[in-house]
Amino acid sequence: MQYAGFTLRNNLFVAPMAGVTDRPFRQLCKKLGAGVAVSEMVTSNSLLYGSAKTRRRAEHAGEADPISVQIAGADPAMMADAARYNADNGAQIIDINMGCPAKKVCNVMAGSALMQNEPLVARILEAVVAAVPGTPVTLKFRTGWNRDHRNAPTIARIAEASGIRAVAIHGRTRADQYTGNAEYDTIAEVKSLVKIPVIANGDITTPEKARYVLDYTGADGVMIGRAAQGRPWIFREIEHYLATGTLLPPPLVAEILQVCREHLGDLYAFYGEETGVRIARKHISWYTKGLVGSAAFRRTMNQLSDVREQLEAVDDFFGRLAEQDARLRYEEELPQELAA
């Protein structure tokens, strides 16, 4: 796929997720089949550039191209400064956040709250595009502020006129948060109105759903968020299905143990062991969710406080799984007598 001046291996995108899409997770998803992984959002407040959290979020050493960094804010000048800062520090694509529904973001009129103010949207987009003339700028937003005000088509036309190179649209309004089902009619309408690439996002949880959304909306690609948590190999599954029309078999337990262990090792190295162990807990919970015996395992695992204990627990859990079946099986896939 041709995207913002880059040739991608496919049209599969990792959605930016706060507290999730750090460098270890982005690298893993790219390794397992994603074409682009967008960073968790970086504040446009220049006072925070020096914080340890912001420095980590802007850390791209060793990451495969293209490096896409998402910025958030509501002031055009500050957003322009943030774009320049990140472009100067390795960002190859600047992505603007107008999709986050979190109250703490919307209360300062950033994220999806911006969709209420179309003139401000235009000023922000124009300022950011002008600030980094050598770096492509993309935009992520929702279908609207609420179901009575689905103005994504208008925002998309503003984006195209402002020089935005591609848009990603989550098929929910800000008022929907993450509840209910994503709708794709608005995304299809946007695709019919603009010439820049349109990426569809929302409830894409299986290879078959990815195919359906691409066909229904006419979108140029799909963006996967929550479905990749604990299952980063979903990108190679979708890539294979889109190319062949056939599903890959479930991965081997031994391979997923290796994937999980390497991910944990990257987290420990990236954050330091103390913070790494804490952050690793949520990823281990996602890796094991739905697997036989995982509820009891997670309760125990969350009490462990050092790297050695955490890795031993993961080894033991997946070791017991491998004794039951060489391939990864979730509880709903097992015969009732085995799942009991």
Side-chain angles (χ1 to χ4, degrees), residues 107-220:
N107 284 346
V108 294
M109 286 306 295
S112 53
L114 286 168
M115 296 188 71
Q116 298 174 98
N117 190 336
E118 293 168 3
L120 178 58
V121 168
R123 292 198 300 274
I124 289 173
L125 300 187
E126 290 165 5
V128 172
V129 169
V132 287
T135 303
V137 181
T138 60
L139 174 67
K140 186 172 190 289
F141 55 108
R142 288 186 167 229
T143 55
W145 174 250
N146 58 39
R147 295 185 186 185
D148 294 326
H149 298 90
R150 286 195 171 111
N151 62 335
T154 301
I155 298 292
R157 283 191 290 253
I158 291 171
E160 186 172 42
S162 301
I164 295 298
R165 298 282 292 276
V167 295
I169 308 173
H170 185 117
R172 289 181 173 86
T173 69
R174 188 272 168 178
D176 291 329
Q177 297 279 320
Y178 295 99
T179 61
N181 298 316
E183 61 92 5
Y184 306 113
D185 289 329
T186 304
I187 300 175
E189 182 181 355
V190 168
K191 177 57 187 172
S192 73
L193 294 173
V194 297
K195 294 182 173 61
I196 56 177
V198 175
I199 311 303
N201 174 225
D203 295 351
I204 299 168
T205 56
T206 65
E208 298 97 324
K209 187 64 174 292
R211 177 77 274 165
Y212 167 80
V213 171
L214 286 168
D215 290 344
Y216 188 86
T217 64
D220 301 279

Side-chain angles (χ1 to χ4, degrees), residues 149-307:
H149 298 90
R150 286 195 171 111
N151 62 335
T154 301
I155 298 292
R157 283 191 290 253
I158 291 171
E160 186 172 42
S162 301
I164 295 298
R165 298 282 292 276
V167 295
I169 308 173
H170 185 117
R172 289 181 173 86
T173 69
R174 188 272 168 178
D176 291 329
Q177 297 279 320
Y178 295 99
T179 61
N181 298 316
E183 61 92 5
Y184 306 113
D185 289 329
T186 304
I187 300 175
E189 182 181 355
V190 168
K191 177 57 187 172
S192 73
L193 294 173
V194 297
K195 294 182 173 61
I196 56 177
V198 175
I199 311 303
N201 174 225
D203 295 351
I204 299 168
T205 56
T206 65
E208 298 97 324
K209 187 64 174 292
R211 177 77 274 165
Y212 167 80
V213 171
L214 286 168
D215 290 344
Y216 188 86
T217 64
D220 301 279
V222 289
M223 180 173 278
I224 292 98
R226 289 172 291 169
Q229 295 174 356
R231 190 183 162 192
W233 54 93
I234 190 174
F235 295 100
R236 75 176 182 199
E237 292 177 335
I238 295 174
E239 181 179 55
H240 179 84
Y241 184 78
L242 294 180
T244 69
T246 61
L247 294 170
L248 287 172
L252 293 168
V253 173
E255 183 201 3
I256 298 314
L257 171 58
Q258 182 179 353
V259 167
C260 181
R261 265 186 148 271
E262 289 179 0
H263 187 187
L264 299 183
D266 286 344
L267 290 172
Y268 304 145
F270 188 64
Y271 290 102
E273 290 194 0
E274 183 178 351
T275 303
V277 165
R278 178 172 52 81
I279 290 174
R281 288 175 185 147
K282 65 185 174 186
H283 288 281
I284 295 170
S285 293
W286 290 330
Y287 275 111
T288 58
K289 184 178 180 180
L291 299 173
V292 178
S294 63
F297 163 74
R298 286 195 298 274
R299 285 193 294 271
T300 301
M301 182 271 299
N302 284 332
Q303 306 304 313
L304 304 179
S305 59
D306 65 54
V307 168

